[in-house]
Coordinates of all heavy atoms in Angstrom, one line a residue:
A1 N -10.6 -5.5 1.7 CA -9.9 -6.7 1.1 C -9.1 -7.4 2.2 O -9.0 -8.6 2.2 CB -9.1 -6.3 0.0
L2 N -8.5 -6.6 3.2 CA -7.7 -7.2 4.2 C -8.6 -7.9 5.3 O -8.2 -8.8 6.0 CB -6.9 -6.1 4.9 CG -5.9 -6.5 6.0 CD1 -4.9 -7.5 5.4 CD2 -5.2 -5.3 6.5
F3 N -9.8 -7.4 5.4 CA -10.7 -8.0 6.4 C -11.0 -9.5 6.2 O -11.2 -10.2 7.1 CB -12.0 -7.2 6.4 CG -13.0 -7.6 7.4 CD1 -12.8 -7.4 8.7 CD2 -14.2 -8.2 7.0 CE1 -13.7 -7.8 9.7 CE2 -15.1 -8.6 8.0 CZ -14.9 -8.4 9.3
V4 N -11.1 -9.9 4.9 CA -11.5 -11.3 4.6 C -10.4 -12.3 5.1 O -10.7 -13.2 5.8 CB -11.8 -11.5 3.1 CG1 -12.0 -13.0 2.8 CG2 -13.0 -10.7 2.7
P5 N -9.1 -12.1 4.8 CA -8.1 -13.1 5.3 C -8.0 -13.0 6.8 O -7.8 -14.1 7.5 CB -6.8 -12.6 4.7 CG -7.2 -11.7 3.6 CD -8.5 -11.2 3.8
V6 N -8.2 -11.9 7.4 CA -8.1 -11.8 8.9 C -9.3 -12.6 9.5 O -9.1 -13.3 10.5 CB -8.0 -10.3 9.4 CG1 -8.2 -10.2 10.9 CG2 -6.8 -9.7 8.9
T7 N -10.4 -12.4 9.0 CA -11.6 -13.1 9.4 C -11.4 -14.6 9.3 O -11.8 -15.4 10.1 CB -12.9 -12.6 8.7 OG1 -13.0 -11.2 8.9 CG2 -14.1 -13.3 9.2
M8 N -10.9 -15.0 8.1 CA -10.6 -16.4 7.9 C -9.7 -17.0 8.9 O -9.9 -18.1 9.4 CB -10.1 -16.6 6.5 CG -11.0 -16.4 5.4 SD -10.3 -16.3 3.7 CE -9.6 -17.9 3.6
A9 N -8.7 -16.2 9.4 CA -7.7 -16.7 10.3 C -8.4 -16.9 11.7 O -8.0 -17.8 12.5 CB -6.5 -15.8 10.4
Y10 N -9.3 -16.0 12.1 CA -9.8 -16.2 13.5 C -11.2 -16.8 13.5 O -11.7 -17.0 14.6 CB -9.8 -14.8 14.2 CG -10.8 -13.8 13.9 CD1 -12.1 -14.0 14.4 CD2 -10.6 -12.7 13.1 CE1 -13.1 -13.0 14.1 CE2 -11.6 -11.8 12.8 CZ -12.8 -12.0 13.3 OH -13.8 -11.1 13.0
W11 N -11.8 -17.2 12.4 CA -13.2 -17.7 12.4 C -13.3 -19.0 13.3 O -14.2 -19.0 14.1 CB -13.6 -18.0 11.0 CG -15.1 -18.2 10.9 CD1 -15.7 -19.4 10.7 CD2 -16.1 -17.3 11.0 NE1 -17.0 -19.3 10.7 CE2 -17.3 -18.0 10.9 CE3 -16.1 -15.9 11.2 CZ2 -18.5 -17.3 11.0 CZ3 -17.3 -15.3 11.2 CH2 -18.5 -16.0 11.1
F12 N -12.5 -20.0 13.0 CA -12.6 -21.2 13.8 C -11.5 -21.3 14.9 O -11.5 -22.3 15.6 CB -12.4 -22.4 12.9 CG -13.5 -22.6 11.8 CD1 -13.2 -22.6 10.5 CD2 -14.8 -22.7 12.2 CE1 -14.2 -22.8 9.6 CE2 -15.8 -22.9 11.3 CZ -15.5 -22.9 10.0
A13 N -10.7 -20.3 15.0 CA -9.6 -20.4 16.0 C -10.1 -20.6 17.5 O -9.5 -21.4 18.1 CB -8.7 -19.1 15.9
P14 N -11.1 -19.9 18.0 CA -11.5 -20.1 19.3 C -12.0 -21.6 19.6 O -11.6 -22.2 20.6 CB -12.6 -19.1 19.6 CG -12.4 -18.1 18.6 CD -11.8 -18.7 17.4
A15 N -12.7 -22.1 18.6 CA -13.2 -23.5 18.8 C -12.0 -24.5 18.7 O -12.0 -25.5 19.4 CB -14.2 -23.8 17.7
L16 N -11.0 -24.2 17.8 CA -9.9 -25.1 17.7 C -9.1 -25.1 19.0 O -8.5 -26.1 19.5 CB -9.0 -24.7 16.5 CG -9.6 -25.1 15.2 CD1 -8.9 -24.4 14.1 CD2 -9.7 -26.6 15.0
I17 N -9.0 -23.9 19.6 CA -8.2 -23.8 20.9 C -8.9 -24.6 22.0 O -8.3 -25.3 22.8 CB -8.0 -22.3 21.3 CG1 -7.1 -21.7 20.3 CG2 -7.5 -22.2 22.7 CD1 -7.0 -20.2 20.4
V18 N -10.3 -24.4 22.1 CA -11.0 -25.1 23.1 C -11.2 -26.6 22.9 O -10.9 -27.4 23.8 CB -12.4 -24.4 23.3 CG1 -13.3 -25.2 24.2 CG2 -12.3 -23.0 23.7
F19 N -11.6 -27.0 21.7 CA -11.9 -28.4 21.5 C -10.8 -29.2 21.1 O -10.8 -30.5 21.3 CB -13.0 -28.5 20.4 CG -14.3 -27.9 20.9 CD1 -14.9 -26.8 20.2 CD2 -15.0 -28.3 22.1 CE1 -16.1 -26.3 20.6 CE2 -16.1 -27.7 22.5 CZ -16.7 -26.7 21.8
Q20 N -9.7 -28.7 20.4 CA -8.6 -29.5 20.0 C -7.3 -29.1 20.7 O -6.3 -29.6 20.3 CB -8.4 -29.4 18.5 CG -9.6 -30.0 17.7 CD -9.4 -30.0 16.2 OE1 -8.4 -29.6 15.7 NE2 -10.4 -30.5 15.5
D21 N -7.4 -28.2 21.6 CA -6.3 -27.8 22.5 C -5.0 -27.4 21.7 O -3.9 -27.8 22.0 CB -5.9 -29.0 23.4 CG -5.2 -28.5 24.7 OD1 -5.4 -27.3 25.1 OD2 -4.4 -29.3 25.3
L22 N -5.3 -26.6 20.7 CA -4.2 -26.1 19.8 C -3.7 -24.7 20.4 O -4.5 -24.0 20.9 CB -4.6 -25.9 18.4 CG -5.0 -27.1 17.6 CD1 -5.5 -26.7 16.2 CD2 -3.8 -28.0 17.4
P23 N -2.4 -24.4 20.2 CA -1.9 -23.1 20.5 C -2.5 -22.1 19.5 O -3.0 -22.4 18.4 CB -0.4 -23.2 20.4 CG -0.1 -24.4 19.6 CD -1.3 -25.3 19.7
L24 N -2.4 -20.8 19.9 CA -3.0 -19.7 19.1 C -2.6 -19.7 17.6 O -3.4 -19.7 16.7 CB -2.8 -18.4 19.7 CG -3.3 -17.2 19.0 CD1 -4.8 -17.2 18.9 CD2 -2.9 -15.9 19.6
G25 N -1.3 -19.7 17.4 CA -0.8 -19.7 16.0 C -1.2 -20.8 15.2 O -1.6 -20.7 14.0
A26 N -1.2 -22.0 15.7 CA -1.6 -23.2 15.0 C -3.1 -23.2 14.7 O -3.6 -23.6 13.6 CB -1.2 -24.5 15.7
A27 N -3.9 -22.7 15.7 CA -5.3 -22.6 15.5 C -5.7 -21.6 14.4 O -6.6 -21.9 13.6 CB -6.0 -22.2 16.8
M28 N -5.0 -20.5 14.4 CA -5.3 -19.5 13.4 C -4.9 -20.0 12.0 O -5.6 -19.8 11.0 CB -4.6 -18.2 13.7 CG -5.3 -17.5 14.9 SD -4.6 -15.9 15.3 CE -5.3 -14.9 14.0
S29 N -3.8 -20.7 11.9 CA -3.3 -21.3 10.6 C -4.3 -22.3 10.1 O -4.7 -22.3 8.9 CB -1.9 -21.9 10.8 OG -1.5 -22.5 9.7
K30 N -4.7 -23.2 11.0 CA -5.7 -24.3 10.6 C -7.0 -23.7 10.2 O -7.7 -24.1 9.3 CB -5.8 -25.2 11.8 CG -6.4 -26.5 11.4 CD -6.3 -27.5 12.6 CE -6.9 -28.9 12.1 NZ -6.8 -29.9 13.2
S31 N -7.4 -22.6 10.9 CA -8.7 -21.9 10.6 C -8.6 -21.3 9.2 O -9.5 -21.4 8.4 CB -9.0 -20.9 11.6 OG -10.1 -20.1 11.3
F32 N -7.5 -20.6 8.9 CA -7.3 -20.0 7.6 C -7.3 -21.1 6.5 O -8.0 -20.9 5.5 CB -6.0 -19.2 7.6 CG -5.8 -18.5 6.3 CD1 -6.4 -17.3 6.1 CD2 -5.0 -19.0 5.3 CE1 -6.2 -16.6 4.9 CE2 -4.8 -18.3 4.1 CZ -5.5 -17.1 3.9
K33 N -6.6 -22.2 6.7 CA -6.6 -23.2 5.7 C -8.0 -23.8 5.5 O -8.4 -24.1 4.3 CB -5.6 -24.3 6.1 CG -4.2 -23.9 6.0 CD -3.2 -24.9 6.5 CE -1.8 -24.4 6.5 NZ -0.9 -25.4 7.1
A34 N -8.7 -24.0 6.6 CA -10.1 -24.6 6.4 C -11.0 -23.7 5.7 O -11.8 -24.1 4.8 CB -10.6 -24.9 7.8
C35 N -10.9 -22.4 6.0 CA -11.7 -21.4 5.3 C -11.4 -21.2 3.8 O -12.2 -21.0 3.0 CB -11.7 -20.0 6.0 SG -12.5 -20.0 7.6
S36 N -10.1 -21.3 3.5 CA -9.6 -21.2 2.1 C -10.1 -22.4 1.3 O -10.3 -22.3 0.1 CB -8.1 -21.0 2.1 OG -7.4 -22.1 2.5
K37 N -10.2 -23.6 1.9 CA -10.7 -24.7 1.2 C -12.2 -24.6 0.9 O -12.7 -25.2 0.0 CB -10.5 -26.0 2.0 CG -9.1 -26.5 2.0 CD -8.9 -27.8 2.8 CE -7.5 -28.2 2.8 NZ -7.3 -29.4 3.6
N38 N -12.9 -23.8 1.7 CA -14.3 -23.6 1.6 C -14.6 -22.1 1.4 O -15.5 -21.6 2.0 CB -15.0 -24.1 2.9 CG -14.8 -25.5 3.2 OD1 -15.2 -26.4 2.4 ND2 -14.2 -25.8 4.3
I39 N -13.9 -21.5 0.4 CA -14.0 -20.0 0.3 C -15.4 -19.6 -0.2 O -15.9 -18.6 0.2 CB -12.9 -19.5 -0.7 CG1 -12.8 -18.0 -0.6 CG2 -13.1 -20.0 -2.1 CD1 -12.3 -17.5 0.7
V40 N -16.0 -20.3 -1.1 CA -17.3 -19.9 -1.7 C -18.4 -20.0 -0.6 O -19.1 -19.0 -0.4 CB -17.7 -20.7 -2.9 CG1 -19.1 -20.4 -3.4 CG2 -16.7 -20.4 -4.0
P41 N -18.5 -21.1 0.2 CA -19.5 -21.1 1.3 C -19.2 -20.0 2.3 O -20.1 -19.4 2.9 CB -19.4 -22.5 1.8 CG -18.8 -23.3 0.8 CD -17.9 -22.4 0.0
F42 N -17.9 -19.8 2.6 CA -17.5 -18.8 3.6 C -18.0 -17.4 3.1 O -18.5 -16.6 4.0 CB -16.0 -18.8 3.7 CG -15.4 -17.9 4.7 CD1 -15.6 -18.1 6.1 CD2 -14.7 -16.7 4.3 CE1 -15.0 -17.2 7.0 CE2 -14.2 -15.8 5.2 CZ -14.4 -16.0 6.5
L43 N -17.8 -17.1 1.9 CA -18.2 -15.7 1.4 C -19.7 -15.6 1.3 O -20.3 -14.6 1.7 CB -17.6 -15.5 0.0 CG -16.0 -15.3 0.1 CD1 -15.5 -15.1 -1.3 CD2 -15.7 -14.1 0.9
V44 N -20.4 -16.7 0.9 CA -21.9 -16.6 0.9 C -22.4 -16.5 2.3 O -23.3 -15.7 2.5 CB -22.4 -17.9 0.2 CG1 -23.9 -18.0 0.4 CG2 -22.1 -17.9 -1.3
Y45 N -21.9 -17.2 3.2 CA -22.3 -17.1 4.6 C -22.0 -15.6 5.1 O -22.9 -15.1 5.8 CB -21.5 -18.1 5.5 CG -21.9 -18.0 6.9 CD1 -23.0 -18.6 7.4 CD2 -21.1 -17.4 7.9 CE1 -23.4 -18.6 8.8 CE2 -21.4 -17.3 9.2 CZ -22.5 -17.9 9.6 OH -22.8 -17.9 11.0
G46 N -20.9 -15.1 4.8 CA -20.6 -13.7 5.2 C -21.5 -12.7 4.7 O -22.0 -11.8 5.4
V47 N -21.9 -12.8 3.4 CA -22.9 -11.9 2.8 C -24.3 -12.1 3.5 O -24.9 -11.1 3.8 CB -23.0 -12.1 1.3 CG1 -24.2 -11.4 0.7 CG2 -21.7 -11.7 0.6
G48 N -24.7 -13.3 3.7 CA -25.9 -13.6 4.4 C -26.0 -13.0 5.8 O -27.0 -12.4 6.2
V49 N -24.9 -13.2 6.5 CA -24.8 -12.7 7.9 C -24.9 -11.2 7.9 O -25.5 -10.6 8.7 CB -23.5 -13.2 8.6 CG1 -23.2 -12.4 9.8 CG2 -23.6 -14.7 8.9
S50 N -24.2 -10.5 6.9 CA -24.3 -9.1 6.8 C -25.7 -8.6 6.6 O -26.1 -7.6 7.2 CB -23.4 -8.6 5.7 OG -22.0 -9.0 5.9
V51 N -26.4 -9.2 5.7 CA -27.8 -8.8 5.4 C -28.7 -9.0 6.6 O -29.4 -8.1 7.0 CB -28.3 -9.6 4.1 CG1 -29.8 -9.4 4.0 CG2 -27.5 -9.2 2.9
V52 N -28.6 -10.2 7.2 CA -29.4 -10.5 8.4 C -29.1 -9.5 9.5 O -30.0 -9.1 10.2 CB -29.3 -12.0 8.8 CG1 -29.9 -12.2 10.2 CG2 -29.9 -12.9 7.8
S53 N -27.8 -9.2 9.7 CA -27.4 -8.3 10.8 C -28.0 -6.9 10.6 O -28.4 -6.3 11.5 CB -25.9 -8.3 10.9 OG -25.4 -9.5 11.3
V54 N -27.9 -6.4 9.4 CA -28.4 -5.1 9.1 C -30.0 -5.1 9.3 O -30.5 -4.2 9.9 CB -28.1 -4.7 7.6 CG1 -28.9 -3.4 7.2 CG2 -26.6 -4.4 7.5
L55 N -30.6 -6.1 8.8 CA -32.1 -6.2 9.0 C -32.5 -6.3 10.4 O -33.5 -5.8 10.9 CB -32.7 -7.3 8.2 CG -32.6 -7.2 6.7 CD1 -33.1 -8.5 6.0 CD2 -33.4 -6.0 6.2
S56 N -31.7 -7.0 11.2 CA -32.0 -7.1 12.6 C -31.8 -5.9 13.5 O -32.3 -5.8 14.6 CB -31.3 -8.3 13.3 OG -29.9 -8.0 13.3
T57 N -31.1 -4.9 12.9 CA -30.9 -3.7 13.6 C -32.0 -2.7 13.4 O -32.1 -1.7 14.1 CB -29.6 -3.0 13.2 OG1 -29.6 -2.7 11.8 CG2 -28.4 -3.8 13.6
I58 N -32.9 -2.9 12.5 CA -34.0 -2.0 12.1 C -34.9 -1.8 13.3 O -35.3 -0.7 13.7 CB -34.7 -2.5 10.8 CG1 -33.8 -2.3 9.7 CG2 -36.0 -1.7 10.6 CD1 -34.3 -2.8 8.4
P59 N -35.4 -2.9 14.0 CA -36.3 -2.7 15.1 C -35.6 -2.3 16.4 O -35.6 -3.1 17.4 CB -37.1 -4.0 15.2 CG -36.1 -5.0 14.8 CD -35.3 -4.3 13.7
L60 N -35.0 -1.2 16.4 CA -34.3 -0.7 17.6 C -33.2 -1.6 18.1 O -33.1 -1.8 19.3 CB -35.3 -0.3 18.7 CG -36.3 0.8 18.3 CD1 -37.3 1.0 19.4 CD2 -35.6 2.1 17.9
F61 N -32.5 -2.4 17.3 CA -31.5 -3.3 17.6 C -32.0 -4.5 18.4 O -31.3 -5.3 18.9 CB -30.3 -2.6 18.4 CG -29.6 -1.7 17.6 CD1 -29.9 -0.3 17.5 CD2 -28.5 -2.1 16.8 CE1 -29.2 0.6 16.7 CE2 -27.8 -1.2 16.0 CZ -28.1 0.1 16.0
L62 N -33.3 -4.6 18.6 CA -33.9 -5.8 19.3 C -33.8 -7.1 18.5 O -33.8 -8.1 19.1 CB -35.3 -5.5 19.7 CG -35.5 -4.4 20.7 CD1 -37.0 -4.1 20.9 CD2 -34.9 -4.7 22.0
G63 N -33.7 -7.0 17.2 CA -33.5 -8.2 16.4 C -32.2 -8.9 16.7 O -32.0 -10.1 16.5
L64 N -31.2 -8.2 17.3 CA -29.9 -8.8 17.6 C -30.0 -9.8 18.7 O -29.2 -10.6 18.9 CB -28.9 -7.7 17.9 CG -28.5 -6.8 16.7 CD1 -27.5 -5.7 17.2 CD2 -27.9 -7.6 15.6
L65 N -31.1 -9.6 19.6 CA -31.3 -10.6 20.6 C -31.6 -12.0 20.1 O -31.3 -13.0 20.8 CB -32.5 -10.1 21.5 CG -32.2 -8.9 22.3 CD1 -33.5 -8.5 23.0 CD2 -31.1 -9.0 23.3
I66 N -32.1 -12.1 18.9 CA -32.3 -13.4 18.2 C -31.1 -13.7 17.3 O -30.7 -14.8 17.2 CB -33.6 -13.4 17.5 CG1 -34.8 -13.2 18.5 CG2 -33.8 -14.6 16.7 CD1 -36.1 -12.9 17.8
T67 N -30.6 -12.7 16.6 CA -29.6 -12.9 15.6 C -28.3 -13.4 16.1 O -27.7 -14.3 15.6 CB -29.4 -11.6 14.8 OG1 -30.6 -11.2 14.2 CG2 -28.4 -11.8 13.7
I68 N -27.8 -12.8 17.2 CA -26.5 -13.1 17.7 C -26.5 -14.6 18.2 O -25.5 -15.3 17.8 CB -26.1 -12.1 18.8 CG1 -25.8 -10.8 18.1 CG2 -24.8 -12.6 19.6 CD1 -25.5 -9.7 19.1
P69 N -27.4 -15.1 19.0 CA -27.4 -16.5 19.4 C -27.5 -17.5 18.2 O -26.8 -18.5 18.2 CB -28.5 -16.7 20.4 CG -28.8 -15.3 20.9 CD -28.4 -14.4 19.8
A70 N -28.3 -17.1 17.2 CA -28.4 -17.9 16.0 C -27.1 -18.0 15.3 O -26.7 -19.0 14.8 CB -29.5 -17.4 15.1
L71 N -26.4 -16.8 15.2 CA -25.1 -16.8 14.5 C -24.1 -17.6 15.2 O -23.2 -18.3 14.6 CB -24.7 -15.4 14.2 CG -25.5 -14.6 13.3 CD1 -25.0 -13.1 13.2 CD2 -25.6 -15.2 11.9
L72 N -24.1 -17.6 16.5 CA -23.1 -18.4 17.3 C -23.4 -19.9 17.1 O -22.4 -20.6 17.0 CB -23.2 -18.0 18.8 CG -22.7 -16.6 19.1 CD1 -22.9 -16.3 20.6 CD2 -21.2 -16.5 18.8
G73 N -24.6 -20.2 17.1 CA -25.0 -21.6 16.8 C -24.6 -22.1 15.4 O -24.1 -23.2 15.2
S74 N -24.8 -21.2 14.4 CA -24.4 -21.6 13.1 C -22.9 -21.7 12.9 O -22.4 -22.5 12.2 CB -25.0 -20.6 12.1 OG -24.4 -19.3 12.2
T75 N -22.1 -20.9 13.7 CA -20.7 -20.9 13.6 C -20.2 -22.3 14.2 O -19.3 -22.9 13.7 CB -20.1 -19.8 14.4 OG1 -20.5 -18.5 13.9 CG2 -18.5 -19.8 14.4
Y76 N -20.8 -22.7 15.3 CA -20.4 -24.0 15.9 C -20.8 -25.1 15.0 O -20.0 -26.1 14.8 CB -21.1 -24.2 17.3 CG -20.9 -25.5 17.9 CD1 -19.6 -25.9 18.3 CD2 -21.9 -26.5 18.0 CE1 -19.3 -27.1 18.9 CE2 -21.6 -27.7 18.5 CZ -20.3 -28.0 18.9 OH -20.1 -29.3 19.5
T77 N -22.0 -25.0 14.3 CA -22.4 -26.1 13.4 C -21.4 -26.2 12.2 O -21.1 -27.3 11.8 CB -23.8 -25.8 12.9 OG1 -24.7 -25.7 14.1 CG2 -24.3 -26.9 12.0
S78 N -21.0 -25.0 11.7 CA -20.0 -25.0 10.6 C -18.7 -25.6 11.0 O -18.0 -26.3 10.3 CB -19.9 -23.6 10.0 OG -19.3 -22.8 10.9
F79 N -18.3 -25.3 12.3 CA -17.0 -25.9 12.8 C -17.2 -27.4 12.8 O -16.2 -28.1 12.4 CB -16.8 -25.4 14.2 CG -15.7 -26.1 14.9 CD1 -14.4 -25.9 14.6 CD2 -16.0 -27.0 15.9 CE1 -13.3 -26.6 15.3 CE2 -15.0 -27.7 16.6 CZ -13.7 -27.5 16.3
R80 N -18.3 -27.9 13.3 CA -18.5 -29.4 13.4 C -18.4 -30.0 12.0 O -17.9 -31.1 11.8 CB -19.8 -29.7 14.1 CG -19.7 -29.5 15.6 CD -21.0 -29.9 16.3 NE -21.2 -31.3 15.9 CZ -22.3 -31.9 16.2 NH1 -23.3 -31.3 16.9 NH2 -22.5 -33.2 15.9
E81 N -19.0 -29.3 11.0 CA -19.0 -29.9 9.6 C -17.7 -29.8 9.0 O -17.2 -30.8 8.3 CB -20.0 -29.1 8.8 CG -21.5 -29.4 9.1 CD -21.9 -30.8 8.8 OE1 -21.4 -31.4 7.8 OE2 -22.6 -31.4 9.7
V82 N -17.0 -28.7 9.1 CA -15.7 -28.6 8.5 C -14.6 -29.5 9.1 O -13.8 -30.1 8.4 CB -15.2 -27.1 8.5 CG1 -13.7 -27.0 8.1 CG2 -16.1 -26.2 7.7
F83 N -14.6 -29.6 10.4 CA -13.6 -30.5 11.1 C -14.1 -31.8 11.5 O -13.5 -32.6 12.2 CB -13.1 -29.7 12.3 CG -12.3 -28.5 11.9 CD1 -12.8 -27.2 12.0 CD2 -11.0 -28.6 11.5 CE1 -12.1 -26.1 11.6 CE2 -10.3 -27.5 11.1 CZ -10.8 -26.3 11.1
A84 N -15.3 -32.2 11.0 CA -15.9 -33.5 11.2 C -15.9 -34.0 12.6 O -15.5 -35.1 12.9 CB -15.2 -34.6 10.3
V85 N -16.3 -33.1 13.5 CA -16.5 -33.4 14.9 C -17.8 -34.1 15.1 O -18.9 -33.5 14.7 CB -16.3 -32.1 15.8 CG1 -16.6 -32.5 17.2 CG2 -15.0 -31.5 15.6
R86 N -17.9 -35.2 15.7 CA -19.2 -35.9 15.9 C -19.4 -36.2 17.4 O -18.6 -36.4 18.2 CB -19.2 -37.2 15.2 CG -19.1 -37.0 13.7 CD -20.4 -36.4 13.1 NE -20.1 -36.1 11.7 CZ -20.6 -35.1 11.1 NH1 -21.3 -34.2 11.7 NH2 -20.4 -34.8 9.8

């Protein structure tokens, strides 16, 4: 139960620090607020990522070579959608 709020706080924080030049505390706070406004999509995405990650470990962890870059791309895409970066 504690994992979800912590994940919400750091989910968009690195992108906010890099792209909006925010300090760490403000970035984590803004990330938490953005995730709490979109809690249902955030939880659905988390469940989907968990399932895909487990399935990608079956072929001797080689599926992670595809899964990890795809997840990083989807995280950036969600950041652009939530914070309306164009």
Side-chain angles (χ1 to χ4, degrees):
L2 183 61
F3 182 70
V4 173
V6 171
T7 302
M8 289 169 61
Y10 79 77
W11 191 257
F12 294 123
L16 289 167
I17 291 170
V18 171
F19 295 121
Q20 295 186 2
D21 204 26
L22 292 175
L24 178 63
M28 290 182 76
S29 174
K30 196 170 182 178
S31 173
F32 183 82
K33 288 176 185 174
C35 288
S36 64
K37 287 182 182 177
N38 299 300
I39 191 72
V40 174
F42 180 74
L43 291 174
V44 169
Y45 179 80
V47 169
V49 165
S50 298
V51 170
V52 169
S53 295
V54 168
L55 291 175
S56 68
T57 61
I58 292 172
L60 301 173
F61 293 91
L62 293 175
L64 293 176
L65 294 174
I66 296 170
T67 303
I68 291 173
L71 294 178
L72 292 174
S74 68
T75 301
Y76 176 69
T77 303
S78 65
F79 167 76
R80 288 185 54 189
E81 287 296 320
V82 170
F83 291 101
V85 176
R86 300 287 173 216

